[in-house]
Amino acid sequence: YIPLPCAAARHQMLLNAFRQGSEVTHALNTTDLSKIVERTSGYSGSDMKNLIQEACQGPVRDLFRTRGNVTNVAASDLRPVNLRDFQLASKAQKRTVSDVEVERYEK
């Protein structure tokens, strides 16, 4: 059993996704990050990875919606990832570990 990541670990996962040198930019402030961390309580590490990947697709989807079929997209062509991207991503990426499973292993 691998315990679910705590709030600090989930926060660090978000920071790692947008660390300096990454081509993915974001428009998330401290409050936004806190909201994401709070709303991802119960997410596994894998759930967080998938959520972040899904949210990072938001700017790509917007670009395709506005420009149509685009090839050779540069990172500079994409808008920064924002809180709305995470809100939409959370509809697609739900937590996969139930409270019952957590209780079973924590005893």
Side-chain angles (χ1 to χ4, degrees):
Y1 171 71
I2 299 171
L4 297 177
C6 64
R10 294 191 311 277
H11 185 262
Q12 189 60 51
M13 288 176 197
L14 290 166
L15 295 179
N16 288 347
F18 302 116
R19 69 183 171 274
Q20 191 171 5
S22 170
E23 291 186 355
V24 179
T25 60
H26 70 89
L28 300 167
N29 59 36
T30 304
T31 303
D32 294 338
L33 290 170
S34 294
K35 285 179 184 178
I36 296 166
V37 168
E38 181 182 319
R39 291 177 184 164
T40 56
S41 179
Y43 274 50
S44 68
S46 178
D47 295 338
M48 285 299 295
K49 176 183 168 248
N50 293 336
L51 176 73
I52 293 166
Q53 287 177 339
E54 182 68 26
C56 289
Q57 291 300 311
V60 176
R61 289 186 184 100
D62 281 355
L63 182 70
F64 281 93
R65 262 193 298 274
T66 58
R67 291 193 194 171
N69 192 5
V70 181
T71 57
N72 298 325
V73 175
S76 60
D77 294 333
L78 302 173
R79 66 164 174 75
V81 176
N82 58 37
L83 182 59
R84 179 85 174 126
D85 294 318
F86 276 91
Q87 291 167 334
L88 293 172
S90 68
K91 292 178 182 178
Q93 178 58 52
K94 305 285 186 192
R95 63 184 271 198
T96 58
V97 180
S98 71
D99 290 334
V100 172
E101 289 179 84
V102 172
E103 289 174 21
R104 188 173 106 209
Y105 284 102
E106 286 183 346
K107 289 182 179 183

